[in-house]
Amino acid sequence: MKEFEDIRSIIEDVIENLNMKRKLNISRIFNCWEEIVGTEISKKAKPIKVTGGVLRVSVTTSTWANELSLMSGQLIEKINSFIGEEVVKRIRFKIDL
């Protein structure tokens, strides 16, 4: 008789077979943004998209763009640490939130 597999292991196998793990990890940036960067920053900045290791973030003002640009190394470290792999190499800020 065949043994039952844990549903989690089945889902993980499907995700790996479809090469979706990286895409799911990137989606966690958007779903967990406030948890990653904190409440104050999340009120002033929102992630837009990730392309080729570059995270594009919309900010409310040029002052915030400048401030977050100075913190970009720390933000990249926080994001990648939260995700568990290096998905963000650079951050670009756009004023239009």
Side-chain angles (χ1 to χ4, degrees):
M1 185 156 80
K2 195 173 185 179
E3 222 176 284
F4 288 103
E5 267 190 85
D6 178 21
I7 188 73
R8 181 182 178 134
S9 66
I10 293 170
I11 291 171
E12 286 173 351
D13 287 345
V14 169
I15 287 170
E16 190 170 322
N17 290 335
L18 294 175
N19 295 320
M20 291 178 57
K21 184 174 182 173
R22 189 165 184 85
K23 289 179 184 178
L24 288 173
N25 280 341
I26 289 171
S27 74
R28 291 181 64 212
I29 294 169
F30 300 89
N31 295 330
C32 303
W33 181 247
E34 184 175 354
E35 187 177 346
I36 296 169
V37 299
T39 304
E40 185 178 353
I41 292 175
S42 72
K43 288 179 182 178
K44 305 294 182 180
K46 302 287 182 211
I48 301 170
K49 68 179 179 176
V50 177
T51 308
V54 178
L55 171 62
R56 301 202 189 285
V57 176
S58 175
V59 295
T60 54
T61 65
S62 60
T63 304
W64 271 100
N66 187 49
E67 182 72 25
L68 294 177
S69 181
L70 294 172
M71 296 174 56
S72 64
Q74 295 169 337
L75 293 173
I76 291 168
E77 189 176 310
K78 278 184 172 185
I79 293 165
N80 290 334
S81 177
F82 185 88
I83 299 303
E85 71 171 298
E86 185 182 33
V87 293
V88 175
K89 295 178 182 168
R90 290 186 334 200
I91 302 176
R92 293 207 178 175
F93 300 97
K94 181 179 180 183
I95 304 158
D96 71 352
L97 188 61

